[in-house]
Amino acid sequence: MEQRILRLNEFKALYKTWKTKIPWVDHLLLGLLMWIEEKLLSTRVDNEVSEEIKEYETLHKTDLPDMVSPIYTEKPSDTSTRLPEMRLTAPWITDIKKKK
């Protein structure tokens, strides 16, 4: 099993100063400090990553192309369900069919 130790020097110093000679108290103190340190590090990482993503998005912002509305068509159906056939197609598809 991997032995976990404190990573930050501030938490190592806190553990050394608050350490007692009672093993179970030391164990609880170490567990508490490890938990707080893990939360602190994950928060720092999350903040750094989100700031870098925002910075990247502002530097490399690209405009979206003009959105084209699809063409809606409806034809009566030949099947027994009698539901009409509905289609959504892109405008350039109908342009290709017209050219042929």
mmCIF file of all heavy atoms in Angstrom, residues 64-72 88-95:
data_model
loop_
_atom_site.group_PDB
_atom_site.id
_atom_site.type_symbol
_atom_site.label_atom_id
_atom_site.label_comp_id
_atom_site.label_asym_id
_atom_site.label_seq_id
_atom_site.Cartn_x
_atom_site.Cartn_y
_atom_site.Cartn_z
ATOM 1 N N LEU A 64 -18.067 32.066 -35.261
ATOM 2 C CA LEU A 64 -18.785 30.941 -35.840
ATOM 3 C C LEU A 64 -19.252 31.322 -37.237
ATOM 4 O O LEU A 64 -19.581 32.480 -37.502
ATOM 5 C CB LEU A 64 -19.995 30.590 -34.969
ATOM 6 C CG LEU A 64 -19.687 30.022 -33.595
ATOM 7 C CD1 LEU A 64 -20.981 29.833 -32.814
ATOM 8 C CD2 LEU A 64 -18.959 28.703 -33.711
ATOM 9 N N PRO A 65 -19.278 30.379 -38.149
ATOM 10 C CA PRO A 65 -19.775 30.705 -39.491
ATOM 11 C C PRO A 65 -21.261 31.049 -39.424
ATOM 12 O O PRO A 65 -21.967 30.701 -38.484
ATOM 13 C CB PRO A 65 -19.538 29.413 -40.277
ATOM 14 C CG PRO A 65 -19.472 28.352 -39.242
ATOM 15 C CD PRO A 65 -18.914 28.987 -38.008
ATOM 16 N N ASP A 66 -21.714 31.731 -40.437
ATOM 17 C CA ASP A 66 -23.134 32.095 -40.482
ATOM 18 C C ASP A 66 -23.977 30.826 -40.458
ATOM 19 O O ASP A 66 -23.729 29.884 -41.203
ATOM 20 C CB ASP A 66 -23.441 32.895 -41.750
ATOM 21 C CG ASP A 66 -22.772 34.254 -41.703
ATOM 22 O OD1 ASP A 66 -22.513 34.743 -40.591
ATOM 23 O OD2 ASP A 66 -22.505 34.812 -42.779
ATOM 24 N N MET A 67 -24.928 30.838 -39.589
ATOM 25 C CA MET A 67 -25.790 29.671 -39.468
ATOM 26 C C MET A 67 -26.835 29.708 -40.580
ATOM 27 O O MET A 67 -27.442 30.735 -40.840
ATOM 28 C CB MET A 67 -26.478 29.658 -38.101
ATOM 29 C CG MET A 67 -25.503 29.606 -36.932
ATOM 30 S SD MET A 67 -24.419 28.208 -36.987
ATOM 31 C CE MET A 67 -25.451 26.991 -36.278
ATOM 32 N N VAL A 68 -27.020 28.578 -41.210
ATOM 33 C CA VAL A 68 -27.982 28.462 -42.293
ATOM 34 C C VAL A 68 -29.159 27.645 -41.783
ATOM 35 O O VAL A 68 -28.981 26.572 -41.216
ATOM 36 C CB VAL A 68 -27.333 27.778 -43.515
ATOM 37 C CG1 VAL A 68 -28.320 27.656 -44.649
ATOM 38 C CG2 VAL A 68 -26.111 28.545 -43.942
ATOM 39 N N SER A 69 -30.350 28.152 -42.010
ATOM 40 C CA SER A 69 -31.540 27.434 -41.556
ATOM 41 C C SER A 69 -31.797 26.241 -42.467
ATOM 42 O O SER A 69 -31.631 26.336 -43.680
ATOM 43 C CB SER A 69 -32.754 28.352 -41.574
ATOM 44 O OG SER A 69 -32.543 29.416 -40.692
ATOM 45 N N PRO A 70 -32.210 25.128 -41.911
ATOM 46 C CA PRO A 70 -32.519 23.974 -42.756
ATOM 47 C C PRO A 70 -33.839 24.188 -43.509
ATOM 48 O O PRO A 70 -34.661 25.016 -43.140
ATOM 49 C CB PRO A 70 -32.650 22.833 -41.744
ATOM 50 C CG PRO A 70 -33.014 23.490 -40.478
ATOM 51 C CD PRO A 70 -32.362 24.838 -40.496
ATOM 52 N N ILE A 71 -34.002 23.414 -44.546
ATOM 53 C CA ILE A 71 -35.237 23.483 -45.342
ATOM 54 C C ILE A 71 -36.161 22.361 -44.878
ATOM 55 O O ILE A 71 -35.768 21.195 -44.835
ATOM 56 C CB ILE A 71 -34.923 23.336 -46.834
ATOM 57 C CG1 ILE A 71 -34.032 24.488 -47.280
ATOM 58 C CG2 ILE A 71 -36.197 23.280 -47.654
ATOM 59 C CD1 ILE A 71 -33.528 24.369 -48.686
ATOM 60 N N TYR A 72 -37.371 22.724 -44.545
ATOM 61 C CA TYR A 72 -38.361 21.764 -44.063
ATOM 62 C C TYR A 72 -39.287 21.424 -45.218
ATOM 63 O O TYR A 72 -39.895 22.309 -45.827
ATOM 64 C CB TYR A 72 -39.150 22.363 -42.897
ATOM 65 C CG TYR A 72 -40.297 21.513 -42.429
ATOM 66 C CD1 TYR A 72 -40.069 20.381 -41.677
ATOM 67 C CD2 TYR A 72 -41.605 21.861 -42.743
ATOM 68 C CE1 TYR A 72 -41.127 19.601 -41.247
ATOM 69 C CE2 TYR A 72 -42.668 21.091 -42.317
ATOM 70 C CZ TYR A 72 -42.416 19.960 -41.566
ATOM 71 O OH TYR A 72 -43.451 19.185 -41.142
ATOM 72 N N LEU A 88 -35.810 17.460 -43.046
ATOM 73 C CA LEU A 88 -35.011 18.658 -42.823
ATOM 74 C C LEU A 88 -33.732 18.461 -43.619
ATOM 75 O O LEU A 88 -32.996 17.505 -43.391
ATOM 76 C CB LEU A 88 -34.679 18.842 -41.336
ATOM 77 C CG LEU A 88 -35.826 19.229 -40.423
ATOM 78 C CD1 LEU A 88 -35.353 19.230 -38.976
ATOM 79 C CD2 LEU A 88 -36.342 20.598 -40.783
ATOM 80 N N THR A 89 -33.477 19.345 -44.541
ATOM 81 C CA THR A 89 -32.273 19.234 -45.360
ATOM 82 C C THR A 89 -31.529 20.558 -45.366
ATOM 83 O O THR A 89 -32.121 21.619 -45.144
ATOM 84 C CB THR A 89 -32.605 18.851 -46.810
ATOM 85 O OG1 THR A 89 -33.520 19.802 -47.333
ATOM 86 C CG2 THR A 89 -33.195 17.464 -46.899
ATOM 87 N N ALA A 90 -30.249 20.465 -45.622
ATOM 88 C CA ALA A 90 -29.437 21.669 -45.726
ATOM 89 C C ALA A 90 -29.663 22.310 -47.086
ATOM 90 O O ALA A 90 -29.911 21.624 -48.068
ATOM 91 C CB ALA A 90 -27.969 21.311 -45.540
ATOM 92 N N PRO A 91 -29.599 23.625 -47.177
ATOM 93 C CA PRO A 91 -29.848 24.304 -48.452
ATOM 94 C C PRO A 91 -28.879 23.874 -49.552
ATOM 95 O O PRO A 91 -29.259 23.818 -50.710
ATOM 96 C CB PRO A 91 -29.668 25.777 -48.135
ATOM 97 C CG PRO A 91 -29.774 25.887 -46.674
ATOM 98 C CD PRO A 91 -29.395 24.573 -46.105
ATOM 99 N N TRP A 92 -27.645 23.557 -49.219
ATOM 100 C CA TRP A 92 -26.690 23.191 -50.268
ATOM 101 C C TRP A 92 -27.000 21.821 -50.865
ATOM 102 O O TRP A 92 -26.596 21.535 -51.970
ATOM 103 C CB TRP A 92 -25.255 23.250 -49.770
ATOM 104 C CG TRP A 92 -24.979 22.434 -48.559
ATOM 105 C CD1 TRP A 92 -24.657 21.125 -48.526
ATOM 106 C CD2 TRP A 92 -24.998 22.873 -47.223
ATOM 107 N NE1 TRP A 92 -24.477 20.704 -47.245
ATOM 108 C CE2 TRP A 92 -24.683 21.774 -46.407
ATOM 109 C CE3 TRP A 92 -25.260 24.089 -46.593
ATOM 110 C CZ2 TRP A 92 -24.611 21.838 -45.032
ATOM 111 C CZ3 TRP A 92 -25.171 24.163 -45.222
ATOM 112 C CH2 TRP A 92 -24.873 23.045 -44.463
ATOM 113 N N ILE A 93 -27.742 20.975 -50.163
ATOM 114 C CA ILE A 93 -28.143 19.683 -50.721
ATOM 115 C C ILE A 93 -29.129 19.898 -51.856
ATOM 116 O O ILE A 93 -29.029 19.296 -52.908
ATOM 117 C CB ILE A 93 -28.751 18.769 -49.629
ATOM 118 C CG1 ILE A 93 -27.757 18.495 -48.524
ATOM 119 C CG2 ILE A 93 -29.290 17.483 -50.227
ATOM 120 C CD1 ILE A 93 -26.554 17.706 -48.950
ATOM 121 N N THR A 94 -30.096 20.792 -51.680
ATOM 122 C CA THR A 94 -31.065 21.048 -52.737
ATOM 123 C C THR A 94 -30.392 21.762 -53.912
ATOM 124 O O THR A 94 -30.774 21.562 -55.053
ATOM 125 C CB THR A 94 -32.243 21.883 -52.213
ATOM 126 O OG1 THR A 94 -31.735 23.094 -51.646
ATOM 127 C CG2 THR A 94 -33.011 21.114 -51.175
ATOM 128 N N ASP A 95 -29.396 22.588 -53.635
ATOM 129 C CA ASP A 95 -28.647 23.258 -54.713
ATOM 130 C C ASP A 95 -27.931 22.231 -55.571
ATOM 131 O O ASP A 95 -27.900 22.351 -56.796
ATOM 132 C CB ASP A 95 -27.637 24.251 -54.149
ATOM 133 C CG ASP A 95 -28.319 25.446 -53.478
ATOM 134 O OD1 ASP A 95 -29.513 25.662 -53.747
ATOM 135 O OD2 ASP A 95 -27.645 26.137 -52.698
#
